[in-house]
Amino acid sequence: MKTERIRTDLLIIGGGTAGCWSAVIASENSDAKILICEKADIRRSGCLAAGVNALNAYITEGKTPADYAEYAKNDACGIARDDLLLTMSEKLNQVTNRLEELGLVILKDEQGRYVTRGSRNIKINGENIKPLLAKAALSQPNVTVLNRVNITDLAVENGRVKGAFGIGIENEIFYIIEAKAVIIASGGASGLYKPNNPGLSRHKMWYSPFNTGAGYAMGIKHGAEMTTFEMRFIALRCKDTIAPTGTLAQGAGAKQINSLGEVYETKYGISTSERVYGTVKENLEGRGPCFLRTEGISQETEKSLIKAYLNMAPSQTIKWIESGKRLSEQNVEIEGTEPYIVGGHTASGFWVDTNRATTLKGLFAAGDAAGGCPQKYVTGALAEGEIAAGSAVEYIKHNGHLSISEEEIEAHLNEAEGFLHGTASLFTAEQLEEAMQTVMDAYAGGIKTNYSFTEKQLDIADERIREIEKLSDTLHAEDFMELMHIYELRERLTVCRAVIAHLRARHETRWAGFSRNLDYPERDDANWNVFVNSVMENGEIKIILRDMQKEAVLYEHSN
């Protein structure tokens, strides 16, 4: 394999929302050499690739950052870090202003005020939001971008990150990158569980199908402390199309109703997980299917919704048109998706300090990769990217490069070449991925079991995921694209093991809509109002329980 060695001051893994903004902020506040590695192309990569029609984290008139932090913590049933929520919330409006300066169209009323959608959201024309962020990063004089480069592992020595290894998917180069500091901004993990739709439609899902939990997996393998993987996220979506429901619920005030026409959201609650739980429960008790009530809405509202969905989820608008019924003449059927691990909506991810430093020295995390701070959405990811960038720049001032040894390079080269030049495997990466999703769906609380599980089922899941891990060692890649798919599968398998360990560790049911532990079906605040964290030691995942913080104070890693 061709190899290329690169030395930079700051390496940013992932050129999505947080990654691009980290590069902008680091560049504006230092003359450090900054490198973004993105396995796609930063102009249309990550969760914002196709755009978004609202900024869901904004401090509206009459509200404060503390109000938003309190809302996010309550929605997470108390499992959230006060320091992370407050430091993120304090920057939400600032980064929104910066987005507008970059050219993002934010809708305004006749008085020039932002048009709100609910009490914490504002409406935007955001189909070009990612190109705007990418342009801002690319325009910085000390920022270099390597598109189509997939980072496969970190280089770590004595608990300090000194760079990373990657593969050029199109130029077939093996990269050895030495860096003084690294920011993980590679997103969360989708594709762990069997999705709503099969076959060629399996990627029609809520979260970006290309986010594999790569950053999580790298951190786990090198002993970074992770948090709250048991708080999975399940989105409530329009059936079949998996189109958003928030626009209907918040923009049009559509209520959740069962097949009898009864409004059930008031019975179960309206937090994110409660909305999902109520829908599952109504179906289980024979009152399904469930809907968002749009029958009888005004023509003006109907027209607005059709345009909104044509912009962000055209398949839903097409479904309405093909049905031959107007939106005001039919309710919209809803369902839950498969579970995801995503730190932008839940508290899953790296255990970070207030400055977004992980427990590995020189490694920082932002956006969906960073844990402890739910309900970030777009602006929260930008805010965390800004915080992580400032911390990384400060770290670089006091720490130099560490060399990556020839032995480390050879080991990673041999692994990649083993997949490329080995004999043909009995299985493909796609077949093993499907097997993994089947295991997680049936034994680790997927759609098939209505997000429920028992300890015995988790034991079976863990055993079978380990078996699939061993089989992945034998896979063969015909080219570098297939090599990337092998690494993506292995990343997902590592994250699956962590998810199973976390689900098994929490002996209660705190988020009934997101996961229901049938061995411990009740919430237990007396014993489990704690963070379930983990580290991998000698290939096994060790659970650590950490107490909740009592107030928003600066948190530093101490053990």
Side-chain angles (χ1 to χ4, degrees):
M1 292 173 67
K2 294 179 290 184
T3 64
E4 183 176 331
R5 294 187 77 130
I6 297 174
R7 178 169 278 205
T8 189
D9 294 319
L10 174 61
L11 169 63
I12 300 172
I13 301 175
T17 311
C20 281
W21 199 241
S22 291
V24 171
I25 297 302
S27 176
E28 290 178 348
N29 290 278
S30 75
D31 58 0
K33 290 174 60 179
I34 301 161
L35 173 65
I36 300 175
C37 283
E38 165 60 54
K39 71 177 178 182
D41 187 304
I42 69 166
R43 291 170 296 180
R44 286 291 183 186
S45 65
C47 296
L48 293 184
V52 65
N53 74 338
L55 297 179
N56 290 330
Y58 184 80
I59 312 302
T60 55
E61 190 174 347
K63 299 292 184 180
T64 67
D67 292 332
Y68 189 88
E70 185 67 18
Y71 147 73
K73 188 168 185 176
N74 288 338
D75 199 78
C77 297
I79 307 299
R81 287 260 302 278
D82 293 338
D83 61 316
L84 301 181
L85 283 171
L86 194 57
T87 51
M88 178 268 290
S89 300
E90 288 170 343
K91 289 182 174 290
L92 293 177
N93 289 19
Q94 171 196 322
V95 296
T96 300
N97 294 338
R98 289 292 306 268
L99 283 173
E100 190 171 27
E101 290 171 4
L102 293 176
L104 180 69
V105 177
I106 303 178
L107 277 62
K108 295 179 180 177
D109 61 19
E110 294 177 352
Q111 285 75 42
R113 297 172 301 192
Y114 291 154
V115 177
T116 59
R117 192 191 78 172
S119 59
R120 294 171 291 273
N121 317 30
I122 57 174
K123 295 182 179 181
I124 65 172
N125 288 339
E127 65 277 358
N128 66 339
I129 188 171
K130 190 62 207 299
L132 288 172
L133 285 170
K135 183 180 178 181
L138 288 165
S139 65
Q140 301 301 318
N142 50 338
V143 173
T144 302
V145 176
L146 286 179
N147 287 312
R148 305 294 286 157
V149 171
N150 185 44
I151 298 299
T152 59
D153 198 9
L154 297 169
V156 180
E157 182 179 324
N158 296 325
R160 179 183 163 185
V161 174
K162 53 186 179 179
F165 303 95
I167 54 172
I169 301 160
E170 292 177 345
N171 60 16
E172 300 190 352
I173 292 175
F174 183 84
Y175 288 95
I176 304 104
I177 304 168
E178 292 179 339
K180 296 176 182 177
V182 177
I183 295 176
I184 288 275
S186 53
S190 65
L192 307 182
Y193 287 80
K194 184 179 287 188
N196 295 81
N197 298 305
L200 295 175
S201 295
R202 67 188 184 279
H203 288 146
K204 186 184 286 292
M205 56 175 59
W206 168 76
Y207 192 57
S208 170
F210 313 107
N211 285 11
T212 63
Y216 296 155
M218 290 181 226
I220 290 167
K221 288 192 297 183
H222 288 285
E225 188 169 340
M226 315 302 288
T227 188
T228 324
F229 275 34
E230 76 281 10
M231 187 183 174
R232 312 170 308 172
F233 185 77
I234 293 155
L236 190 66
R237 307 294 270 185
C238 301
K239 192 176 185 303
D240 300 325
T241 63
I242 315 301
T245 56
T247 301
L248 292 164
Q250 297 180 30
K255 299 294 185 183
Q256 290 176 229
I257 61 171
N258 59 26
S259 61
L260 304 176
E262 300 167 336
V263 176
Y264 65 84
E265 62 183 46
T266 52
K267 181 164 56 172
Y268 300 98
I270 58 171
S271 73
T272 309
S273 64
E274 287 168 343
R275 287 182 179 275
V276 176
Y277 178 64
T279 304
V280 170
K281 192 75 170 172
E282 290 295 299
N283 280 308
L284 282 173
E285 295 184 356
R287 293 184 292 275
C290 295
F291 305 87
L292 281 171
R293 186 166 59 198
T294 55
E295 286 183 358
I297 61 173
S298 68
Q299 288 189 9
E300 183 181 356
T301 301
E302 180 183 68
K303 184 178 180 180
S304 174
L305 288 171
I306 288 173
K307 287 174 63 177
Y309 278 92
L310 191 60
N311 180 40
M312 64 179 172
S315 58
Q316 184 62 36
T317 299
I318 292 168
K319 184 178 179 180
W320 287 327
I321 294 169
E322 287 180 339
S323 73
K325 278 187 174 183
R326 298 168 64 103
L327 178 56
S328 58
E329 298 172 337
Q330 61 178 327
N331 295 317
V332 180
E333 190 173 351
I334 54 178
E335 66 181 348
T337 63
E338 77 277 22
Y340 308 93
I341 306 300
V342 49
H345 283 64
T346 68
S348 309
F350 280 87
W351 183 250
V352 294
D353 70 9
T354 309
N355 296 317
R356 274 55 175 188
T358 74
T359 55
L360 295 177
K361 293 178 182 176
L363 182 68
F364 303 83
D368 285 342
C373 184
Q375 309 291 13
K376 293 177 196 147
Y377 306 114
V378 175
T379 45
L382 294 172
E384 282 206 327
E386 188 165 309
I387 296 168
S391 302
V393 165
E394 189 63 27
Y395 181 87
I396 287 167
K397 293 177 183 178
H398 307 287
N399 293 276
H401 287 97
L402 290 179
S403 296
I404 298 175
S405 69
E406 292 301 321
E407 289 79 12
E408 292 173 277
I409 296 170
E410 184 177 359
H412 285 81
L413 266 172
N414 288 343
E415 179 184 69
E417 289 182 333
F419 292 127
L420 285 166
H421 304 308
T423 56
S425 172
L426 293 173
F427 307 97
T428 65
E430 186 174 346
Q431 288 170 328
L432 291 187
E433 180 181 283
E434 187 174 345
M436 171 195 72
Q437 291 175 346
T438 299
V439 169
M440 295 298 286
D441 186 48
Y443 299 106
I447 296 171
K448 182 177 182 177
T449 61
N450 296 301
Y451 315 120
S452 299
F453 54 86
T454 64
E455 196 165 302
K456 179 60 178 176
Q457 287 176 318
L458 294 177
D459 289 343
I460 295 171
D462 187 53
E463 180 183 348
R464 295 189 180 176
I465 291 298
R466 289 171 186 259
E467 290 171 357
I468 297 170
E469 263 190 324
K470 290 179 182 177
L471 291 174
S472 74
D473 292 338
T474 68
L475 288 171
H476 173 70
E478 290 290 341
D479 54 32
F480 273 62
M481 180 65 80
E482 288 191 7
L483 180 60
M484 180 187 73
H485 291 323
I486 290 173
Y487 278 112
E488 288 180 328
L489 167 68
R490 289 162 69 85
E491 290 155 4
R492 285 183 165 120
L493 287 165
T494 299
V495 177
C496 282
R497 285 191 56 198
V499 171
I500 293 165
H502 278 247
L503 289 173
R504 186 194 285 125
R506 184 175 282 279
H507 292 171
E508 66 157 357
T509 294
R510 183 164 291 262
W511 311 280
F514 292 167
S515 59
R516 189 162 178 80
N517 188 332
L518 296 179
D519 292 326
Y520 304 94
E522 304 300 327
R523 177 168 165 174
D524 181 1
D525 279 330
N527 298 300
W528 288 98
N529 194 28
V530 296
F531 289 103
V532 175
N533 290 5
S534 66
V535 294
M536 181 175 274
E537 295 180 353
N538 301 317
E540 298 298 324
I541 295 173
K542 173 187 172 185
I543 295 295
I544 301 168
L545 301 182
R546 292 198 179 274
D547 292 333
M548 301 295 297
Q549 286 176 276
K550 299 303 181 186
E551 55 188 28
V553 295
L554 182 71
Y555 173 83
E556 296 179 341
H557 299 305
S558 58
N559 59 357

